[in-house]
Amino acid sequence: MREWLVRVKAEATPVYGLAVTLGLGLPLLLGLLTDRMGQGTLGALGAFLLAFGAPGGPYGNRARSLAVSLAAIVAGGALGGLLAGHPWATVAVLPVVVVLAASVPWIRPTAAMAVLLTSVRPPPGDPLENMLLMGLGGLWLALLLLSPWPARRLRPLDDALGRAAGSVAALLDTVAGDLETSTWTGGIHSSDNCGWERSRRHVETALRDATATSRYYRGEDEAQENLQPQQIIDTLRRIVWETVGLHTQIHVLVDRGPAPDPWRSDATEAIRGLAQGVRTLSTALARETAAPAAGPSPDLARHARGGDGAVLRQITHSVDRIDSALESARDELGDGLRLAPSVHWKRPRFEPGEAAAALAREVRERSPRFRHATRVAVLVTVAMAITAAFRLQHGQWMAVTVLVSLRDTYGRTVPRVVQRITGNAAGSMIAAVVLAAAPARPHVVALMLVFALAGFTLRSFSYTAWTVCSAPLLMMLMDLTKVSRWSVALDRVELVAAGGVIAALGARVLWPRGAARQVPARTTELLTAMAALTRAAASVLDGRRPGLEGDEMAAAGKAIDGAADAGTRLKDEPAPDTVQAGQLHAAVRAALRIRDRLIAVTDLASENADENSPSARTLDRLADALERTATQTEPDPPGRNDLDDPLAAPDDRPEPARYTLTALTDDVDDLINTLAKLNRQSALSATTR
């Protein structure tokens, strides 16, 4: 229960729930006072649909997204008014709207919901009335959601930067834990490596989100004050790269045996102190306060002696550089963020020629997005056709269930269907009790607002909790011209279950196996990106460039994410290919290690950059091996790469750099051999099919 409450506190959104409740409440209250509940529920429906897909992020971007969503809802409501009373016309038109909503990002899925709900809403509404009332309801909620803008315009940016700094602090804590808990008997345990990889992924995600948020605040003139958040992000990224090198150095130290006890305890304390310093900076960023005062700088030099003095001195040097970068971040923050964001309206970009070419390419390649859009359109058409053919009262719940439950893979659809059926069953039972006991409309409206507050507060915490609360809310919202019978709730349970069965069967039968076609492209992209990053690291080591660039790291990260997504899609198919999925995920782990080792080796050896550097030659050969594998049409059987051993002859490179290069060569071999096996199996499977 304690863990559950902690999650609720961290993930629930009570302010958003209150705003949506007020957005729904005003139209319903006006409908009660004027005895025009039909018009009141139309306004509340517009607010509900806007809240259903309301965006987050900076307020300027939020305003643009809300405006586009509101336009889609108004247009969908008008179209639904035209289709009202003509069920077969709805069957014909709704699939087109679904495909457009799935294919054109700025149309938004709420347009399909608006068409569906207004076309079946009794009594049929006039198109102009639908447009006006749903637009007014959505506009009222949009004003509520944007009302904190003048006073808290920087809060989304502060939160993003604070989360990024907090994830960096957690990464430093992981390194300190590796140093403190290691048994010094031949290496750090695999469980510790899992903790490192998990923290590393969290850091990359947080920094990527912070960068995207900062970009929304950047002005057209690229003024210096608008670059401050990006400077803080760049400094945090520099701390991460130094921490990656520190982690590698600690691995070297652990593999060589115990370190001096005074130095070990002091180093652990120093790294934890750095983590606490970054965490304090995170708090200052999140709370919009001035930079915290600097703590005492770590002093490890006095213990960096003995047989492993070179490694200890390197670790000490890395700790000092992290401390220096942390001080730079404090200086960049200063008295707080200095930013005067303005809204730059950007018209939704839609070029018919480009859109047609992109659509033709996706149809030709049968991309996952095209397959999903087609699947949703077919299944929604089936649900609406059943409703029209059998004249099912309240049959729209089947189509609604298909629309909101169907996901782009079978493995993601089934849990969603189960959650929706169980949540709607519980919510509908609650609605049955409410409708049986409620004596009048005012009581029903009051209970609807309670459901709205609970549902939108818990929506980000639990989809099941959201469906439990949204089921009675939406069911009563569809028709408050009269208080519905309690038996309608039982009808809804049956119709939602039928819609869930249609969604699950459709995801199982209609084109479920498309992930395997994406595997060769994803593996080639991964190998090419890692070869480019390795080549860039070689350029750093031979002195041709000062360091790795963010664009190269971003390209490698995108390729890694694409391969990981392909592996997940393989696992989510009805008959999952666990072997190939496991190989893809193993390749992703190897690529993540390669990326970190390249960061570490450039950090360790860049100070001794030399055009004749043996380390640079090693990286060039590794890049050659990756490129050859990416371009091979018939992969060779797995084996070790025939690379000259640059460690055979003595040189003056730091020991952590030699260790990292050896491990890097092993990781490149693992990546190449894993993907060679995968490509051979993919080719064999294609031949068999």
Side-chain angles (χ1 to χ4, degrees):
M1 177 63 71
R2 186 182 300 110
E3 293 177 358
W4 186 84
L5 291 175
V6 169
R7 281 192 58 210
V8 170
K9 182 179 179 181
E11 300 177 19
T13 54
V15 175
Y16 181 66
L18 179 61
V20 175
T21 302
L22 294 175
L24 294 173
L26 180 61
L28 294 176
L29 180 60
L30 292 176
L32 279 176
L33 295 177
T34 60
D35 197 26
R36 295 184 176 181
M37 285 308 303
Q39 288 78 7
T41 53
L42 269 175
L45 185 61
F48 176 86
L49 290 173
L50 189 69
F52 188 78
Y59 284 104
N61 180 62
R62 194 177 303 180
R64 291 188 291 270
S65 297
L66 286 173
V68 173
S69 295
L70 185 58
I73 290 169
V74 168
L79 181 58
L82 289 173
L83 297 174
H86 304 86
W88 285 109
T90 304
V91 172
V93 172
L94 189 60
V96 178
V97 179
V98 170
V99 170
L100 287 175
S103 303
V104 183
W106 56 267
I107 290 182
R108 308 297 169 87
T110 48
M113 289 284 290
V115 173
L116 177 59
L117 295 180
T118 54
S119 64
V120 298
R121 180 182 174 275
D126 181 82
L128 294 178
E129 183 184 51
N130 285 3
M131 289 179 63
L132 178 62
L133 294 175
M134 293 177 69
L136 289 175
L139 181 61
W140 162 239
L141 177 60
L143 293 176
L144 287 175
L145 295 176
L146 296 174
S147 59
W149 191 349
R152 305 180 69 182
R153 64 186 186 276
L154 295 182
R155 176 50 63 91
L157 179 61
D158 293 326
D159 289 343
L161 291 174
R163 287 193 298 271
S167 66
V168 174
L171 189 70
L172 283 165
D173 277 332
T174 301
V175 174
D178 280 355
L179 181 61
E180 184 178 29
T181 62
S182 173
T183 56
W184 304 93
T185 57
I188 296 176
H189 294 299
S190 60
S191 60
D192 298 322
N193 286 327
C194 292
W196 165 261
E197 292 177 0
R198 185 165 52 250
S199 298
R200 188 75 174 87
R201 286 195 298 270
H202 289 167
V203 165
E204 286 300 318
T205 301
L207 287 174
R208 186 163 52 243
D209 292 344
T211 301
T213 304
S214 174
R215 190 176 298 117
Y216 285 119
Y217 281 90
R218 185 174 294 184
E220 297 286 345
D221 56 352
E222 299 285 334
Q224 181 64 30
E225 61 267 23
N226 289 338
L227 294 177
Q228 184 208 21
Q230 189 59 46
Q231 291 171 346
I232 294 174
I233 294 171
D234 291 341
T235 303
L236 291 176
R237 195 176 295 280
R238 183 152 54 95
I239 293 175
V240 171
W241 289 12
E242 294 288 352
T243 305
V244 169
L246 180 63
H247 183 256
T248 298
Q249 295 154 20
I250 289 176
H251 269 259
V252 175
L253 191 65
V254 170
D255 285 345
R256 290 179 62 84
D261 285 337
W263 181 92
R264 179 183 178 186
S265 59
D266 285 356
T268 301
E269 182 180 354
I271 297 171
R272 291 202 183 279
L274 292 172
Q276 183 57 38
V278 178
R279 191 168 285 109
T280 305
L281 179 68
S282 168
T283 303
L285 287 167
R287 296 181 180 177
E288 304 181 35
T289 59
S297 298
D299 182 15
L300 303 178
R302 65 184 184 277
H303 295 305
R305 299 184 180 88
D308 291 314
V311 180
L312 300 185
R313 284 193 297 273
Q314 190 68 43
I315 293 176
T316 301
H317 185 45
S318 294
V319 169
D320 290 340
R321 286 192 292 187
I322 294 173
D323 183 62
S324 177
L326 176 58
E327 185 61 31
S328 297
R330 294 192 187 100
D331 293 340
E332 288 159 0
L333 178 60
D335 295 330
L337 290 178
R338 303 179 301 277
L339 195 62
S342 57
V343 179
H344 301 281
W345 173 254
K346 296 181 180 179
R347 177 178 59 85
R349 185 174 179 269
F350 181 69
E351 298 292 340
E354 294 182 7
L359 180 60
R361 183 172 58 254
E362 293 200 357
V363 172
R364 184 173 59 255
E365 297 176 355
R366 288 185 289 176
S367 68
R369 187 167 69 167
F370 166 74
R371 297 159 71 91
H372 177 61
T374 307
R375 189 184 298 118
V376 175
V378 169
L379 295 180
V380 169
T381 301
V382 169
M384 286 302 299
I386 292 173
T387 299
F390 292 95
R391 299 180 181 179
L392 297 177
Q393 192 176 13
H394 311 295
Q396 71 272 9
W397 299 121
M398 277 199 302
V400 170
T401 299
V402 171
L403 193 60
V404 301
S405 299
L406 199 61
R407 290 296 178 263
D408 55 352
T409 64
Y410 177 78
R412 295 172 186 170
T413 298
V414 172
R416 194 78 165 187
V417 167
V418 171
Q419 289 174 335
R420 183 160 183 82
I421 291 176
T422 56
N424 271 276
S428 297
M429 293 300 101
I430 295 173
V433 174
V434 168
L435 292 172
R441 287 184 197 158
H443 302 87
V444 175
V445 169
L447 289 169
M448 287 172 63
L449 298 182
V450 172
F451 287 129
L453 179 62
F456 282 97
T457 297
L458 298 176
R459 183 181 176 187
S460 58
F461 166 71
S462 169
Y463 182 77
T464 302
W466 155 250
T467 54
V468 168
C469 297
S470 65
L473 170 63
L474 190 56
M475 187 177 70
M476 292 182 282
L477 189 61
M478 286 296 295
D479 184 14
L480 266 180
T481 54
K482 62 181 185 301
V483 177
S484 300
R485 305 183 318 277
W486 65 270
S487 59
V488 173
L490 301 181
D491 295 338
R492 177 183 169 114
V493 173
E494 298 173 355
L495 292 167
V496 167
V501 170
I502 292 174
L505 287 178
R508 178 68 175 82
V509 174
L510 298 179
W511 318 292
R513 298 174 180 85
R517 292 188 179 90
Q518 303 296 318
V519 171
R522 298 289 81 80
T523 56
T524 300
E525 181 183 0
L526 180 62
L527 288 166
T528 303
M530 299 315 297
L533 188 62
T534 305
R535 192 82 68 191
S539 299
V540 174
L541 296 190
D542 63 15
R544 286 180 289 170
R545 55 192 301 177
L548 295 175
E549 296 180 359
D551 291 343
E552 294 160 343
M553 296 296 295
K558 181 180 178 181
I560 292 171
D561 291 342
D565 180 68
T568 302
R569 287 179 179 276
L570 282 174
K571 291 178 64 177
D572 284 342
E573 288 187 343
D577 191 335
T578 55
V579 174
Q580 290 196 43
Q583 289 173 337
L584 260 179
H585 286 301
V588 167
R589 290 192 295 271
L592 289 170
R593 292 195 302 271
I594 291 171
R595 181 193 62 182
D596 280 357
R597 297 197 195 283
L598 289 173
I599 293 173
V601 77
T602 54
D603 179 63
L604 292 168
S606 59
E607 294 181 358
N608 300 317
D610 181 7
E611 61 181 358
N612 296 318
S613 169
S615 299
R617 293 197 300 272
T618 300
L619 295 187
D620 277 328
R621 286 193 293 272
L622 293 176
D624 291 340
L626 290 166
E627 289 173 348
R628 282 196 304 272
T629 307
T631 56
Q632 283 176 341
T633 56
E634 296 183 2
D636 295 329
R640 306 303 291 178
N641 290 298
D642 186 17
L643 297 175
D644 295 336
D645 184 5
L647 309 182
D651 55 51
D652 58 354
R653 288 173 291 185
E655 185 173 357
R658 297 199 301 272
Y659 171 90
T660 305
L661 283 171
T662 302
L664 177 62
T665 302
D666 292 339
D667 290 332
V668 170
D669 283 333
D670 289 342
L671 177 63
I672 290 175
N673 292 332
T674 300
L675 293 184
K677 290 179 182 178
L678 179 63
N679 289 337
R680 288 172 65 85
Q681 290 179 356
S682 298
L684 181 61
S685 299
T687 303
T688 303
R689 288 195 297 269

